[in-house]
Amino acid sequence: MDIQSFLLLAVLFVAVAIGWVMGRGARYENESADDQSNYFRGLNYLIDEQPDSAVDSFIEALEVNDQTLETHFVLGQLLRRQGQPDRAIRIHQNLLARPGLDASYRFRAKYELALDFSSSGLFDRAARILDELVSEKNEYRDLAAQKLLGIHLSEHEWEAGVQLIDRLSSRRFGLSSKARPLRRVKSHLCAQLAEDAIKAGDFTLAREWLSTAKDADDNCPRAWFIEVQLAQAEGKYSQAKKALARVIDHDKARVPYYLSYAHDLYSSDHDLNGFLKYLGVAIKDGAPEVFQLFYLRTLVALKGPADDEVKRKVTALMATTDSLIATKLYLDVLRQASNGLGSELALLQRVIGERIGKHSLFKCTNCGFKGQQLHWNCPSCKEWESIVSNYDVGVKF
Ligand SMILES: [Zn+2]
């Protein structure tokens, strides 16, 4: 028996004993005989080292009365945390079956039962109970709403999430103080629905969801970015480029990612010269170094590393930066100009390329999660918009 199971059994053993003593006066003789029998059966199982059977017998022996209500809640939580939600479900269902259970205990038992179902992977049943809690005025409504929204998100039920937020945002629920973060989440869910509609080729539906996303939160960078994707999907490249320039101006936290996207957008429109022109204007206006890296990368791709302008600009950048990406570009130029050192420089370039490849393109400012993909909702801490570009190496080369 591991230490956790032992502790659980010890708590149950004591809880049943205390429940007996405290509830003794309120019980009839014939009821306590059954409980006693279960209690001693539990002890036998315990002695025989059959912890599962012992837990079941102790649960049977623990009578539901005013004195043992708290004990039931503690045990239910303990069992769920121990990875035994089925037993926690039995405890909370027993509580709910008790006639005349006080309303506050009933709401609490329902909330705990929803958590048990959720832990068991029975999300439909958990969602039904949470929905009831959200619909009634009670002290668990906020918690239930939060949990229900979490289930909708984990189950990718985006529309159900939007409907829930609309319900919560209405005055009837009195959650207006939380309306701002909820509007932000709603905007993301609508943007996700717009993205799904773009993938399905339904651009009219995508536009409707995009409009709802902007109505919910006009500052949501994801909604702004969906506008780019929608225009591109419809073949409206000029509109997509303008929309992307607006996103880059608006959302400084993910510029390297957007510039990568812009490179591919201009490239698929056979307009890398247009990309160069856009970057050149931004650099003149004082844009950060990452714009220079994209500019030089595109210049090298268009003119080749032997070009005089390329050599001059890459060498000038190397004098002012410690960027690995700039170094990689510089080695391109050196390889062209070198006499007999091509293979050594290629080796050096490969080593630097591998170093760059080991770095994460994105990081979460809230929990430190790192990854190679942009997530609008951190997979680790579940915070929204906390994942940003890692500027040092946030460029795919
Ligand atoms: Zn995080």
Side-chain angles (χ1 to χ4, degrees), residues 198 203 207 225-241 244 261-262 264-266 268-269:
I198 292 171
F203 301 143
R207 199 159 292 288
F225 189 44
I226 289 290
E227 199 167 349
V228 179
Q229 292 168 273
L230 180 56
Q232 186 185 6
E234 290 178 309
K236 298 172 182 168
Y237 280 94
S238 172
Q239 201 177 315
K241 288 170 193 169
L244 187 51
Y261 193 94
D264 296 346
L265 176 68
Y266 279 85
S268 55
D269 193 29

Side-chain angles (χ1 to χ4, degrees), residues 29-319:
E29 293 247 326
N30 57 346
E31 286 175 344
S32 73
D34 282 348
D35 294 343
Q36 280 191 31
S37 149
N38 279 322
Y39 181 65
F40 287 113
R41 196 177 301 134
L43 273 180
N44 276 333
Y45 285 134
L46 191 53
I47 291 161
D48 290 344
E49 291 202 28
Q50 295 179 48
D52 286 351
S53 303
V55 168
D56 286 338
S57 290
F58 283 138
I59 289 172
E60 293 296 324
L62 187 58
E63 186 191 346
V64 178
N65 58 44
D66 288 346
Q67 285 74 30
T68 61
L69 276 174
E70 282 300 333
T71 312
H72 279 85
F73 281 115
V74 170
L75 286 175
Q77 281 188 353
L78 201 60
L79 286 162
R80 187 173 64 241
R81 283 179 193 156
Q82 268 222 331
Q84 302 186 52
D86 291 353
R87 290 193 167 98
I89 287 170
R90 269 174 51 203
I91 287 189
H92 294 126
Q93 282 178 334
N94 276 347
L95 284 176
L96 285 168
R98 191 191 180 207
L101 185 68
D102 184 78
S104 65
Y105 284 119
R106 186 165 55 83
F107 289 129
R108 185 172 165 190
K110 280 175 101 172
Y111 179 68
E112 293 293 336
L113 185 59
L115 298 187
D116 301 336
F117 281 133
S118 181
S119 295
S120 301
L122 300 169
F123 297 117
D124 280 1
R125 298 184 73 173
R128 265 202 301 278
I129 297 172
L130 292 168
D131 198 81
E132 285 171 22
L133 285 170
V134 170
S135 302
E136 292 180 87
K137 192 166 185 178
N138 65 84
E139 60 185 299
Y140 293 91
R141 195 167 63 177
D142 280 10
L143 285 171
Q146 215 173 355
K147 185 72 192 168
L148 183 55
L149 187 58
I151 288 178
H152 288 325
L153 294 181
S154 67
E155 294 298 287
H156 293 190
E157 297 164 347
W158 315 123
E159 282 197 62
V162 171
Q163 286 162 9
L164 175 63
I165 291 172
D166 283 345
R167 275 169 70 198
L168 297 173
S169 305
S170 71
R171 278 195 182 180
R172 194 161 67 87
F173 285 92
L175 295 177
S176 53
S177 61
K178 297 188 176 175
R180 195 177 168 80
L182 279 179
R183 280 206 304 270
R184 187 175 59 150
V185 177
K186 181 181 172 182
S187 184
H188 276 282
L189 297 184
C190 294
Q192 178 66 56
L193 284 158
E195 201 177 312
D196 293 348
I198 292 171
K199 282 179 190 157
D202 190 342
F203 301 143
T204 308
L205 182 62
R207 199 159 292 288
E208 283 170 17
W209 279 121
L210 176 59
S211 169
T212 317
K214 285 186 164 181
D215 283 348
D217 181 2
D218 196 29
N219 276 318
C220 176
R222 186 180 187 181
W224 288 46
F225 189 44
I226 289 290
E227 199 167 349
V228 179
Q229 292 168 273
L230 180 56
Q232 186 185 6
E234 290 178 309
K236 298 172 182 168
Y237 280 94
S238 172
Q239 201 177 315
K241 288 170 193 169
K242 280 182 192 161
L244 187 51
R246 281 199 297 274
V247 176
I248 292 169
D249 279 347
H250 171 67
D251 183 16
K252 304 291 183 205
R254 299 163 193 88
V255 168
Y257 172 72
Y258 296 135
L259 287 178
S260 255
Y261 193 94
H263 174 270
D264 296 346
L265 176 68
Y266 279 85
S267 183
S268 55
D269 193 29
H270 310 289
D271 184 24
L272 278 180
N273 278 311
F275 186 43
L276 215 53
K277 196 173 160 192
Y278 160 74
L279 292 166
V281 171
I283 291 164
K284 269 190 189 159
D285 287 346
E289 187 182 72
V290 66
F291 281 76
Q292 295 235 33
L293 296 175
F294 270 96
Y295 183 91
L296 293 175
R297 173 206 186 186
T298 311
L299 200 63
V300 172
L302 283 173
K303 298 192 171 184
D307 179 82
D308 283 344
E309 187 192 357
V310 169
K311 274 196 257 180
R312 187 165 41 80
K313 288 189 168 167
V314 172
T315 308
L317 178 64
M318 269 312 288

Side-chain angles (χ1 to χ4, degrees), residues 364-369 378-383 386-387:
C364 175
T365 52
N366 190 48
C367 73
F369 171 85
C378 175
S380 176
C381 69
K382 305 296 175 195
E383 184 62 48
S386 61
I387 292 198

